Amino acid sequence: MVDDPIGFLQALPMTLIALLLLALALFVALAYFGKPGLGAVAGSLAFLVGYWQVCGTPPFLWVLLGLTGLGFALGLIPGFRQTVLTGRIMNALAPSLPRISETELVALEAGTVWWDADLFSGRPDWDKLLAFEPKGLSPEEQAFLDGPVETICQMVDNEEVDRLGDLPPAVWEYLKEQGFMALIIPKAYGGLEFSAEAISAIITKVSSHNVTLAVTVMLPSSLGPAELLLHYGTKDQREHYLPRLAKGELIPAFALTEPHAGSDAGSMRSTGVICRGEWQGEQVLGLRLDWDKRYITLAPICNLLGLAFQAQDPDGLLGNQKDLGITCALVPADLPGIQTGERHDPLGVKFVNGPTQGQNVFIPLENVIGGRKGLGNGWRMLMDCLSAGRAISLPGLACGAGQNTSLTVAAYSQLREQFGLPLHQFEGVATPMGRIAGMTWMMNAGRELTAMAVAQGEKPSVVSAIMKAYCTEGMRKVVNDGMDIQAGAGICRGERNILARYFQAIPIGITVEGANILTRTLIIFGQGMLRCHRYAFDEVRAVQAKDVARFDRAFMGHVGSGITAGVRATVQGLWGGPIFPVTGPASSAWLVRGMTRLSAGFALSAETAMATLGGDLKRREELSGRLADALAYLYFGSACLHRFVREGAREEDEIWLRWAGETCLYEAQEALIGLLDNLPNRFLGWSVKKMLFPWGRSYERPRDETTHGLSQRIAQQAEVRDALCRDAHRPSGDRPGLGALLAGLERLQRVAPMRRKLAKAVKERVLPRRTERDLLDVAVEKQVLTEVERLILRDALDLRDDLIQVDAFSPEEYLERCGA
């Protein structure tokens, strides 16, 4: 009995509140660590026991016990839950979930899931990432990079390539002789068998010198016959083709894109009909091919064409299946009915690219990659290979362009002066210079981490799409900033011009291997949602298969992960990051905290978008594009952290991490806010936004001080500039363009003390206020300079004046350049 009923009733509300808070605290604590089910049990039991102790056994307690028992039954008895709950949910969700076609299914299952799954989960394991170490280059790979790669860069003259419309014959021969066509081919077949890290470094170096050379080197090591043969070819096919590809006897091309099938490669119209025909004097079973392809690199000069087409068996020569699906085959380019040789002109960049057509071309079934087993498996082959290749080639091109641009603006901004000051001392120039440096450092961090993963066996399909899209976009930003700084010197073409060829190449990188618009809005999050999410793919497959048990397991797991994401995002939003200390050096803890918080926010935002839009999210491309932006910058932030720690967490590198990390946090934050502001369910979007950012925006772009600090470092500190551009080729000083610019900068820096003497004498009024050149003679008279110093300084100033000039042509020369 209660001695004081009135006092008891007055205290009861506070008691109930305390019990509810206790139950909630238990639930939140356990859900935060990924145990929401246990948290619900512990919280419920704590509340019931406390209520019983305080209130005895009033009727309301039996209601609570009944509801708790029902919850336990639903949680612990799958058969009961499937009948009462999840079976009905599955039937209700079926109309709203996206149907996955066979083509989409193959693409979704391609490649592997890696660090992207950690980011998607909202609980990234930073210890796992920071323990991930590179294999590094072998002595053989380093020797190749220092020897043949340097030599081939020295052999290629940009202006000569433009005049010829191709690499010179001597360069082609050197590429074949030295094994550039065999970088990925095993040594057993005469290749070099280099790692992904080495190939990435090679592509980056050649890209820092000439885009045509870069594309020519990257193609045989990317999606093409050699890659497909290595993974899917028969033993006889590998033994026949790979040695010839390694020696350069066979020049490969791979034909995928068509006029009616670009990004939507699954809709290709090229066909191969199973039939009997004559091959080398015998009647054999084979394919009658018809195709119309375009944008095919090396097609005009190839003698071995890899071809993707729809295989058909209308006469049932192989069985009852009529439409066999996308298939890949090897087609000798000299067969009757094949048309090659015409070239496209991709914005004046001179790599060999063109269309190819074939009519009534017969090949035997043995030319199908993988033989008969390869029929209908072409799409899977392409997606698997693209998952790795896309992570290496175009990121290398972007990083090479970034390093070249960094060297160019660092040198030019010191040689070019206005109002008596070198350009880098103007804030309006220092800002884009700092962006160039910071973006180059960030892209290289992503390139190196991704190449390490591929070298160790990963085929990270989502990460490779991120790297392709966001590195080529980074190249656009870097080169555009470089062009702004060089101004007229950037737009006047000729042998002195350094950046114009990269500027021309920007749209090419953005377009090929999956246009960036498509990659951002459809592929990255669309594929990541189903591949990286632990349960979403199983849910969709279970609904399509009408498998209640499978759906039940996936759905309950999904509910639990969603609750955990919500709890973690809310707690970290209020706290400003994880509650407990984070891993890694103290100097990078701020970034780990921010990335952990935004990863949880990304997980909750993704769950919210999926829950409210279902299959419509696939068609709300701008929303999925913002989720792709957030995931991409979380990945780049992870790569920057990994690079900083891997390189020793040096104090002098903190400014690089600061700029890149703040950029990634800000961009990820803005992507999530943009998503939530545009969700059709405005109230839910507002609510989740308040959960993630209860105090408003938390992250800002890098401060001017940081950006300008990067600019001054690459302009004035040679060792910093060299470290940033360590993968770039540096032309000799006697070559126009970057070589001459870097040599001129070095020479001008040697006379800097003499220039300071002149400036000091002018300030002290020992010398009159004139141009440096006009002061030289009087400076000798006033004994400010010696005669030797005057001559040295005069020559240096003459060189500087020459280096800031641009090319000009006579009318006849100009018409010749135009091909008139």
Side-chain angles (χ1 to χ4, degrees), residues 519-551:
T519 303
R520 173 183 176 267
T521 59
L522 288 177
I523 293 178
I524 293 173
F525 183 75
Q527 193 169 22
M529 174 178 66
L530 295 179
R531 282 304 308 277
C532 300
H533 196 288
R534 291 181 61 188
Y535 306 105
F537 195 29
D538 272 351
E539 286 174 322
V540 174
R541 296 299 303 277
V543 169
Q544 290 192 186
K546 299 182 180 179
D547 185 338
V548 177
R550 182 179 181 183
F551 178 81

PDB file of all heavy atoms in Angstrom, residues 519-551:
ATOM      1  N   THR A 519      27.153   9.204 -65.159  1.00  0.00           N
ATOM      2  CA  THR A 519      27.866   8.566 -64.052  1.00  0.00           C
ATOM      3  C   THR A 519      27.434   9.158 -62.724  1.00  0.00           C
ATOM      4  O   THR A 519      27.198   8.433 -61.746  1.00  0.00           O
ATOM      5  CB  THR A 519      29.382   8.726 -64.239  1.00  0.00           C
ATOM      6  OG1 THR A 519      29.755   8.158 -65.505  1.00  0.00           O
ATOM      7  CG2 THR A 519      30.142   8.023 -63.139  1.00  0.00           C
ATOM      8  N   ARG A 520      27.313  10.477 -62.673  1.00  0.00           N
ATOM      9  CA  ARG A 520      26.928  11.134 -61.417  1.00  0.00           C
ATOM     10  C   ARG A 520      25.482  10.879 -61.050  1.00  0.00           C
ATOM     11  O   ARG A 520      25.159  10.566 -59.893  1.00  0.00           O
ATOM     12  CB  ARG A 520      27.174  12.641 -61.531  1.00  0.00           C
ATOM     13  CG  ARG A 520      26.652  13.436 -60.338  1.00  0.00           C
ATOM     14  CD  ARG A 520      26.860  14.933 -60.524  1.00  0.00           C
ATOM     15  NE  ARG A 520      26.276  15.686 -59.431  1.00  0.00           N
ATOM     16  CZ  ARG A 520      25.041  16.191 -59.443  1.00  0.00           C
ATOM     17  NH1 ARG A 520      24.255  16.024 -60.516  1.00  0.00           N
ATOM     18  NH2 ARG A 520      24.575  16.862 -58.405  1.00  0.00           N
ATOM     19  N   THR A 521      24.572  10.996 -62.008  1.00  0.00           N
ATOM     20  CA  THR A 521      23.149  10.977 -61.668  1.00  0.00           C
ATOM     21  C   THR A 521      22.545   9.585 -61.634  1.00  0.00           C
ATOM     22  O   THR A 521      21.498   9.389 -61.006  1.00  0.00           O
ATOM     23  CB  THR A 521      22.345  11.841 -62.658  1.00  0.00           C
ATOM     24  OG1 THR A 521      22.540  11.338 -63.997  1.00  0.00           O
ATOM     25  CG2 THR A 521      22.790  13.289 -62.599  1.00  0.00           C
ATOM     26  N   LEU A 522      23.185   8.627 -62.284  1.00  0.00           N
ATOM     27  CA  LEU A 522      22.579   7.295 -62.343  1.00  0.00           C
ATOM     28  C   LEU A 522      23.460   6.193 -61.766  1.00  0.00           C
ATOM     29  O   LEU A 522      22.971   5.304 -61.071  1.00  0.00           O
ATOM     30  CB  LEU A 522      22.230   6.942 -63.800  1.00  0.00           C
ATOM     31  CG  LEU A 522      21.048   7.681 -64.426  1.00  0.00           C
ATOM     32  CD1 LEU A 522      20.892   7.262 -65.882  1.00  0.00           C
ATOM     33  CD2 LEU A 522      19.764   7.414 -63.667  1.00  0.00           C
ATOM     34  N   ILE A 523      24.751   6.234 -62.066  1.00  0.00           N
ATOM     35  CA  ILE A 523      25.579   5.071 -61.768  1.00  0.00           C
ATOM     36  C   ILE A 523      26.065   5.050 -60.320  1.00  0.00           C
ATOM     37  O   ILE A 523      25.912   4.045 -59.620  1.00  0.00           O
ATOM     38  CB  ILE A 523      26.773   5.007 -62.737  1.00  0.00           C
ATOM     39  CG1 ILE A 523      26.269   4.729 -64.159  1.00  0.00           C
ATOM     40  CG2 ILE A 523      27.756   3.926 -62.313  1.00  0.00           C
ATOM     41  CD1 ILE A 523      27.368   4.702 -65.200  1.00  0.00           C
ATOM     42  N   ILE A 524      26.664   6.135 -59.841  1.00  0.00           N
ATOM     43  CA  ILE A 524      27.371   6.089 -58.562  1.00  0.00           C
ATOM     44  C   ILE A 524      26.433   5.724 -57.421  1.00  0.00           C
ATOM     45  O   ILE A 524      26.633   4.722 -56.724  1.00  0.00           O
ATOM     46  CB  ILE A 524      28.084   7.425 -58.281  1.00  0.00           C
ATOM     47  CG1 ILE A 524      29.215   7.627 -59.286  1.00  0.00           C
ATOM     48  CG2 ILE A 524      28.633   7.451 -56.853  1.00  0.00           C
ATOM     49  CD1 ILE A 524      29.882   8.981 -59.202  1.00  0.00           C
ATOM     50  N   PHE A 525      25.375   6.506 -57.225  1.00  0.00           N
ATOM     51  CA  PHE A 525      24.474   6.156 -56.126  1.00  0.00           C
ATOM     52  C   PHE A 525      23.538   5.023 -56.512  1.00  0.00           C
ATOM     53  O   PHE A 525      23.215   4.170 -55.677  1.00  0.00           O
ATOM     54  CB  PHE A 525      23.652   7.362 -55.676  1.00  0.00           C
ATOM     55  CG  PHE A 525      22.765   7.030 -54.496  1.00  0.00           C
ATOM     56  CD1 PHE A 525      23.319   6.897 -53.236  1.00  0.00           C
ATOM     57  CD2 PHE A 525      21.409   6.819 -54.652  1.00  0.00           C
ATOM     58  CE1 PHE A 525      22.526   6.566 -52.151  1.00  0.00           C
ATOM     59  CE2 PHE A 525      20.605   6.488 -53.583  1.00  0.00           C
ATOM     60  CZ  PHE A 525      21.174   6.363 -52.325  1.00  0.00           C
ATOM     61  N   GLY A 526      23.124   4.977 -57.777  1.00  0.00           N
ATOM     62  CA  GLY A 526      22.237   3.890 -58.190  1.00  0.00           C
ATOM     63  C   GLY A 526      22.877   2.536 -57.976  1.00  0.00           C
ATOM     64  O   GLY A 526      22.240   1.595 -57.474  1.00  0.00           O
ATOM     65  N   GLN A 527      24.144   2.419 -58.347  1.00  0.00           N
ATOM     66  CA  GLN A 527      24.854   1.166 -58.132  1.00  0.00           C
ATOM     67  C   GLN A 527      25.247   1.016 -56.671  1.00  0.00           C
ATOM     68  O   GLN A 527      25.139  -0.064 -56.092  1.00  0.00           O
ATOM     69  CB  GLN A 527      26.091   1.113 -59.025  1.00  0.00           C
ATOM     70  CG  GLN A 527      26.730  -0.262 -59.105  1.00  0.00           C
ATOM     71  CD  GLN A 527      27.782  -0.331 -60.204  1.00  0.00           C
ATOM     72  OE1 GLN A 527      28.315   0.677 -60.621  1.00  0.00           O
ATOM     73  NE2 GLN A 527      28.070  -1.531 -60.660  1.00  0.00           N
ATOM     74  N   GLY A 528      25.671   2.136 -56.067  1.00  0.00           N
ATOM     75  CA  GLY A 528      26.078   2.072 -54.669  1.00  0.00           C
ATOM     76  C   GLY A 528      24.932   1.724 -53.744  1.00  0.00           C
ATOM     77  O   GLY A 528      25.113   0.996 -52.760  1.00  0.00           O
ATOM     78  N   MET A 529      23.734   2.222 -54.050  1.00  0.00           N
ATOM     79  CA  MET A 529      22.573   1.961 -53.208  1.00  0.00           C
ATOM     80  C   MET A 529      22.314   0.466 -53.083  1.00  0.00           C
ATOM     81  O   MET A 529      21.972  -0.043 -52.012  1.00  0.00           O
ATOM     82  CB  MET A 529      21.341   2.656 -53.805  1.00  0.00           C
ATOM     83  CG  MET A 529      20.026   2.355 -53.115  1.00  0.00           C
ATOM     84  SD  MET A 529      18.665   3.270 -53.868  1.00  0.00           S
ATOM     85  CE  MET A 529      18.600   2.519 -55.503  1.00  0.00           C
ATOM     86  N   LEU A 530      22.493  -0.257 -54.175  1.00  0.00           N
ATOM     87  CA  LEU A 530      22.197  -1.681 -54.164  1.00  0.00           C
ATOM     88  C   LEU A 530      23.432  -2.539 -53.875  1.00  0.00           C
ATOM     89  O   LEU A 530      23.307  -3.625 -53.307  1.00  0.00           O
ATOM     90  CB  LEU A 530      21.576  -2.089 -55.501  1.00  0.00           C
ATOM     91  CG  LEU A 530      20.208  -1.450 -55.777  1.00  0.00           C
ATOM     92  CD1 LEU A 530      19.689  -1.883 -57.137  1.00  0.00           C
ATOM     93  CD2 LEU A 530      19.195  -1.805 -54.701  1.00  0.00           C
ATOM     94  N   ARG A 531      24.626  -2.071 -54.275  1.00  0.00           N
ATOM     95  CA  ARG A 531      25.824  -2.868 -54.035  1.00  0.00           C
ATOM     96  C   ARG A 531      26.414  -2.601 -52.654  1.00  0.00           C
ATOM     97  O   ARG A 531      26.842  -3.542 -51.966  1.00  0.00           O
ATOM     98  CB  ARG A 531      26.889  -2.570 -55.101  1.00  0.00           C
ATOM     99  CG  ARG A 531      26.664  -3.227 -56.425  1.00  0.00           C
ATOM    100  CD  ARG A 531      26.538  -4.739 -56.358  1.00  0.00           C
ATOM    101  NE  ARG A 531      27.618  -5.408 -55.657  1.00  0.00           N
ATOM    102  CZ  ARG A 531      28.785  -5.722 -56.208  1.00  0.00           C
ATOM    103  NH1 ARG A 531      29.024  -5.431 -57.472  1.00  0.00           N
ATOM    104  NH2 ARG A 531      29.710  -6.340 -55.509  1.00  0.00           N
ATOM    105  N   CYS A 532      26.493  -1.352 -52.241  1.00  0.00           N
ATOM    106  CA  CYS A 532      27.177  -1.011 -50.998  1.00  0.00           C
ATOM    107  C   CYS A 532      26.270  -1.144 -49.776  1.00  0.00           C
ATOM    108  O   CYS A 532      26.753  -1.376 -48.666  1.00  0.00           O
ATOM    109  CB  CYS A 532      27.730   0.409 -51.068  1.00  0.00           C
ATOM    110  SG  CYS A 532      28.906   0.656 -52.409  1.00  0.00           S
ATOM    111  N   HIS A 533      24.966  -0.954 -49.976  1.00  0.00           N
ATOM    112  CA  HIS A 533      24.037  -1.118 -48.865  1.00  0.00           C
ATOM    113  C   HIS A 533      23.945  -2.604 -48.512  1.00  0.00           C
ATOM    114  O   HIS A 533      23.844  -3.461 -49.389  1.00  0.00           O
ATOM    115  CB  HIS A 533      22.656  -0.582 -49.252  1.00  0.00           C
ATOM    116  CG  HIS A 533      21.754  -0.364 -48.082  1.00  0.00           C
ATOM    117  ND1 HIS A 533      21.185  -1.399 -47.377  1.00  0.00           N
ATOM    118  CD2 HIS A 533      21.325   0.782 -47.490  1.00  0.00           C
ATOM    119  CE1 HIS A 533      20.441  -0.915 -46.410  1.00  0.00           C
ATOM    120  NE2 HIS A 533      20.516   0.415 -46.446  1.00  0.00           N
ATOM    121  N   ARG A 534      23.969  -2.914 -47.245  1.00  0.00           N
ATOM    122  CA  ARG A 534      24.023  -4.318 -46.824  1.00  0.00           C
ATOM    123  C   ARG A 534      22.742  -5.081 -47.147  1.00  0.00           C
ATOM    124  O   ARG A 534      22.773  -6.310 -47.251  1.00  0.00           O
ATOM    125  CB  ARG A 534      24.292  -4.403 -45.323  1.00  0.00           C
ATOM    126  CG  ARG A 534      25.694  -3.970 -44.918  1.00  0.00           C
ATOM    127  CD  ARG A 534      25.897  -4.101 -43.430  1.00  0.00           C
ATOM    128  NE  ARG A 534      25.749  -5.485 -42.981  1.00  0.00           N
ATOM    129  CZ  ARG A 534      25.717  -5.852 -41.693  1.00  0.00           C
ATOM    130  NH1 ARG A 534      25.814  -4.929 -40.758  1.00  0.00           N
ATOM    131  NH2 ARG A 534      25.601  -7.131 -41.361  1.00  0.00           N
ATOM    132  N   TYR A 535      21.631  -4.373 -47.283  1.00  0.00           N
ATOM    133  CA  TYR A 535      20.357  -5.097 -47.373  1.00  0.00           C
ATOM    134  C   TYR A 535      19.495  -4.731 -48.582  1.00  0.00           C
ATOM    135  O   TYR A 535      18.619  -5.499 -48.962  1.00  0.00           O
ATOM    136  CB  TYR A 535      19.526  -4.842 -46.099  1.00  0.00           C
ATOM    137  CG  TYR A 535      20.278  -5.164 -44.843  1.00  0.00           C
ATOM    138  CD1 TYR A 535      20.796  -4.160 -44.028  1.00  0.00           C
ATOM    139  CD2 TYR A 535      20.477  -6.486 -44.461  1.00  0.00           C
ATOM    140  CE1 TYR A 535      21.489  -4.464 -42.867  1.00  0.00           C
ATOM    141  CE2 TYR A 535      21.170  -6.803 -43.295  1.00  0.00           C
ATOM    142  CZ  TYR A 535      21.673  -5.775 -42.502  1.00  0.00           C
ATOM    143  OH  TYR A 535      22.365  -6.083 -41.371  1.00  0.00           O
ATOM    144  N   ALA A 536      19.704  -3.566 -49.200  1.00  0.00           N
ATOM    145  CA  ALA A 536      18.787  -3.088 -50.229  1.00  0.00           C
ATOM    146  C   ALA A 536      18.701  -4.040 -51.425  1.00  0.00           C
ATOM    147  O   ALA A 536      17.614  -4.314 -51.949  1.00  0.00           O
ATOM    148  CB  ALA A 536      19.197  -1.686 -50.690  1.00  0.00           C
ATOM    149  N   PHE A 537      19.847  -4.535 -51.877  1.00  0.00           N
ATOM    150  CA  PHE A 537      19.852  -5.413 -53.042  1.00  0.00           C
ATOM    151  C   PHE A 537      19.079  -6.698 -52.755  1.00  0.00           C
ATOM    152  O   PHE A 537      18.297  -7.178 -53.577  1.00  0.00           O
ATOM    153  CB  PHE A 537      21.298  -5.728 -53.427  1.00  0.00           C
ATOM    154  CG  PHE A 537      21.442  -6.323 -54.808  1.00  0.00           C
ATOM    155  CD1 PHE A 537      20.552  -6.023 -55.815  1.00  0.00           C
ATOM    156  CD2 PHE A 537      22.505  -7.176 -55.098  1.00  0.00           C
ATOM    157  CE1 PHE A 537      20.699  -6.565 -57.089  1.00  0.00           C
ATOM    158  CE2 PHE A 537      22.664  -7.718 -56.364  1.00  0.00           C
ATOM    159  CZ  PHE A 537      21.748  -7.414 -57.355  1.00  0.00           C
ATOM    160  N   ASP A 538      19.301  -7.270 -51.556  1.00  0.00           N
ATOM    161  CA  ASP A 538      18.578  -8.487 -51.188  1.00  0.00           C
ATOM    162  C   ASP A 538      17.074  -8.233 -51.124  1.00  0.00           C
ATOM    163  O   ASP A 538      16.276  -9.100 -51.491  1.00  0.00           O
ATOM    164  CB  ASP A 538      19.068  -9.009 -49.835  1.00  0.00           C
ATOM    165  CG  ASP A 538      20.254  -9.945 -49.988  1.00  0.00           C
ATOM    166  OD1 ASP A 538      20.565 -10.313 -51.136  1.00  0.00           O
ATOM    167  OD2 ASP A 538      20.872 -10.295 -48.972  1.00  0.00           O
ATOM    168  N   GLU A 539      16.690  -7.057 -50.659  1.00  0.00           N
ATOM    169  CA  GLU A 539      15.262  -6.734 -50.596  1.00  0.00           C
ATOM    170  C   GLU A 539      14.652  -6.716 -51.995  1.00  0.00           C
ATOM    171  O   GLU A 539      13.586  -7.310 -52.233  1.00  0.00           O
ATOM    172  CB  GLU A 539      15.062  -5.376 -49.913  1.00  0.00           C
ATOM    173  CG  GLU A 539      15.278  -5.402 -48.420  1.00  0.00           C
ATOM    174  CD  GLU A 539      15.206  -4.025 -47.805  1.00  0.00           C
ATOM    175  OE1 GLU A 539      15.693  -3.059 -48.436  1.00  0.00           O
ATOM    176  OE2 GLU A 539      14.685  -3.898 -46.702  1.00  0.00           O
ATOM    177  N   VAL A 540      15.317  -6.031 -52.915  1.00  0.00           N
ATOM    178  CA  VAL A 540      14.780  -5.923 -54.269  1.00  0.00           C
ATOM    179  C   VAL A 540      14.722  -7.297 -54.929  1.00  0.00           C
ATOM    180  O   VAL A 540      13.719  -7.666 -55.557  1.00  0.00           O
ATOM    181  CB  VAL A 540      15.639  -4.944 -55.096  1.00  0.00           C
ATOM    182  CG1 VAL A 540      15.188  -4.938 -56.551  1.00  0.00           C
ATOM    183  CG2 VAL A 540      15.553  -3.542 -54.510  1.00  0.00           C
ATOM    184  N   ARG A 541      15.786  -8.071 -54.785  1.00  0.00           N
ATOM    185  CA  ARG A 541      15.789  -9.406 -55.383  1.00  0.00           C
ATOM    186  C   ARG A 541      14.728 -10.308 -54.759  1.00  0.00           C
ATOM    187  O   ARG A 541      14.088 -11.116 -55.452  1.00  0.00           O
ATOM    188  CB  ARG A 541      17.171 -10.052 -55.227  1.00  0.00           C
ATOM    189  CG  ARG A 541      18.296  -9.337 -55.959  1.00  0.00           C
ATOM    190  CD  ARG A 541      18.068  -9.277 -57.469  1.00  0.00           C
ATOM    191  NE  ARG A 541      17.886 -10.586 -58.068  1.00  0.00           N
ATOM    192  CZ  ARG A 541      18.887 -11.392 -58.427  1.00  0.00           C
ATOM    193  NH1 ARG A 541      20.132 -11.012 -58.229  1.00  0.00           N
ATOM    194  NH2 ARG A 541      18.636 -12.556 -58.981  1.00  0.00           N
ATOM    195  N   ALA A 542      14.542 -10.185 -53.454  1.00  0.00           N
ATOM    196  CA  ALA A 542      13.532 -11.003 -52.771  1.00  0.00           C
ATOM    197  C   ALA A 542      12.124 -10.646 -53.241  1.00  0.00           C
ATOM    198  O   ALA A 542      11.278 -11.529 -53.439  1.00  0.00           O
ATOM    199  CB  ALA A 542      13.644 -10.825 -51.264  1.00  0.00           C
ATOM    200  N   VAL A 543      11.868  -9.357 -53.432  1.00  0.00           N
ATOM    201  CA  VAL A 543      10.548  -8.940 -53.917  1.00  0.00           C
ATOM    202  C   VAL A 543      10.312  -9.489 -55.319  1.00  0.00           C
ATOM    203  O   VAL A 543       9.231  -9.999 -55.630  1.00  0.00           O
ATOM    204  CB  VAL A 543      10.426  -7.400 -53.888  1.00  0.00           C
ATOM    205  CG1 VAL A 543       9.173  -6.943 -54.637  1.00  0.00           C
ATOM    206  CG2 VAL A 543      10.382  -6.907 -52.450  1.00  0.00           C
ATOM    207  N   GLN A 544      11.336  -9.377 -56.185  1.00  0.00           N
ATOM    208  CA  GLN A 544      11.180  -9.888 -57.542  1.00  0.00           C
ATOM    209  C   GLN A 544      10.968 -11.399 -57.553  1.00  0.00           C
ATOM    210  O   GLN A 544      10.218 -11.923 -58.389  1.00  0.00           O
ATOM    211  CB  GLN A 544      12.400  -9.521 -58.389  1.00  0.00           C
ATOM    212  CG  GLN A 544      12.494  -8.035 -58.699  1.00  0.00           C
ATOM    213  CD  GLN A 544      13.525  -7.703 -59.768  1.00  0.00           C
ATOM    214  OE1 GLN A 544      13.784  -6.556 -60.047  1.00  0.00           O
ATOM    215  NE2 GLN A 544      14.085  -8.695 -60.400  1.00  0.00           N
ATOM    216  N   ALA A 545      11.616 -12.097 -56.622  1.00  0.00           N
ATOM    217  CA  ALA A 545      11.475 -13.550 -56.551  1.00  0.00           C
ATOM    218  C   ALA A 545      10.285 -13.978 -55.692  1.00  0.00           C
ATOM    219  O   ALA A 545      10.006 -15.175 -55.584  1.00  0.00           O
ATOM    220  CB  ALA A 545      12.751 -14.169 -55.996  1.00  0.00           C
ATOM    221  N   LYS A 546       9.610 -13.010 -55.033  1.00  0.00           N
ATOM    222  CA  LYS A 546       8.499 -13.291 -54.118  1.00  0.00           C
ATOM    223  C   LYS A 546       8.924 -14.257 -53.018  1.00  0.00           C
ATOM    224  O   LYS A 546       8.194 -15.172 -52.630  1.00  0.00           O
ATOM    225  CB  LYS A 546       7.287 -13.833 -54.879  1.00  0.00           C
ATOM    226  CG  LYS A 546       6.734 -12.855 -55.905  1.00  0.00           C
ATOM    227  CD  LYS A 546       5.501 -13.388 -56.615  1.00  0.00           C
ATOM    228  CE  LYS A 546       4.984 -12.373 -57.624  1.00  0.00           C
ATOM    229  NZ  LYS A 546       3.787 -12.867 -58.360  1.00  0.00           N
ATOM    230  N   ASP A 547      10.121 -14.039 -52.504  1.00  0.00           N
ATOM    231  CA  ASP A 547      10.703 -14.871 -51.461  1.00  0.00           C
ATOM    232  C   ASP A 547      10.540 -14.142 -50.125  1.00  0.00           C
ATOM    233  O   ASP A 547      11.342 -13.270 -49.770  1.00  0.00           O
ATOM    234  CB  ASP A 547      12.182 -15.117 -51.770  1.00  0.00           C
ATOM    235  CG  ASP A 547      12.839 -16.084 -50.806  1.00  0.00           C
ATOM    236  OD1 ASP A 547      12.331 -16.255 -49.687  1.00  0.00           O
ATOM    237  OD2 ASP A 547      13.884 -16.656 -51.169  1.00  0.00           O
ATOM    238  N   VAL A 548       9.498 -14.521 -49.359  1.00  0.00           N
ATOM    239  CA  VAL A 548       9.175 -13.814 -48.128  1.00  0.00           C
ATOM    240  C   VAL A 548      10.275 -13.989 -47.087  1.00  0.00           C
ATOM    241  O   VAL A 548      10.643 -13.032 -46.389  1.00  0.00           O
ATOM    242  CB  VAL A 548       7.817 -14.293 -47.567  1.00  0.00           C
ATOM    243  CG1 VAL A 548       7.514 -13.591 -46.240  1.00  0.00           C
ATOM    244  CG2 VAL A 548       6.709 -14.019 -48.560  1.00  0.00           C
ATOM    245  N   ALA A 549      10.823 -15.203 -46.963  1.00  0.00           N
ATOM    246  CA  ALA A 549      11.848 -15.445 -45.949  1.00  0.00           C
ATOM    247  C   ALA A 549      13.083 -14.586 -46.209  1.00  0.00           C
ATOM    248  O   ALA A 549      13.657 -13.992 -45.287  1.00  0.00           O
ATOM    249  CB  ALA A 549      12.214 -16.928 -45.930  1.00  0.00           C
ATOM    250  N   ARG A 550      13.504 -14.511 -47.468  1.00  0.00           N
ATOM    251  CA  ARG A 550      14.672 -13.698 -47.806  1.00  0.00           C
ATOM    252  C   ARG A 550      14.376 -12.217 -47.573  1.00  0.00           C
ATOM    253  O   ARG A 550      15.216 -11.486 -47.037  1.00  0.00           O
ATOM    254  CB  ARG A 550      15.067 -13.937 -49.263  1.00  0.00           C
ATOM    255  CG  ARG A 550      16.296 -13.171 -49.717  1.00  0.00           C
ATOM    256  CD  ARG A 550      16.624 -13.493 -51.173  1.00  0.00           C
ATOM    257  NE  ARG A 550      17.807 -12.780 -51.623  1.00  0.00           N
ATOM    258  CZ  ARG A 550      18.281 -12.833 -52.861  1.00  0.00           C
ATOM    259  NH1 ARG A 550      17.676 -13.605 -53.766  1.00  0.00           N
ATOM    260  NH2 ARG A 550      19.362 -12.140 -53.205  1.00  0.00           N
ATOM    261  N   PHE A 551      13.185 -11.785 -47.964  1.00  0.00           N
ATOM    262  CA  PHE A 551      12.808 -10.390 -47.740  1.00  0.00           C
ATOM    263  C   PHE A 551      12.772 -10.082 -46.252  1.00  0.00           C
ATOM    264  O   PHE A 551      13.204  -9.009 -45.820  1.00  0.00           O
ATOM    265  CB  PHE A 551      11.448 -10.105 -48.371  1.00  0.00           C
ATOM    266  CG  PHE A 551      10.964  -8.702 -48.130  1.00  0.00           C
ATOM    267  CD1 PHE A 551      11.423  -7.657 -48.901  1.00  0.00           C
ATOM    268  CD2 PHE A 551      10.079  -8.423 -47.097  1.00  0.00           C
ATOM    269  CE1 PHE A 551      11.004  -6.348 -48.668  1.00  0.00           C
ATOM    270  CE2 PHE A 551       9.650  -7.127 -46.856  1.00  0.00           C
ATOM    271  CZ  PHE A 551      10.116  -6.091 -47.644  1.00  0.00           C
TER     272      PHE A 551
END
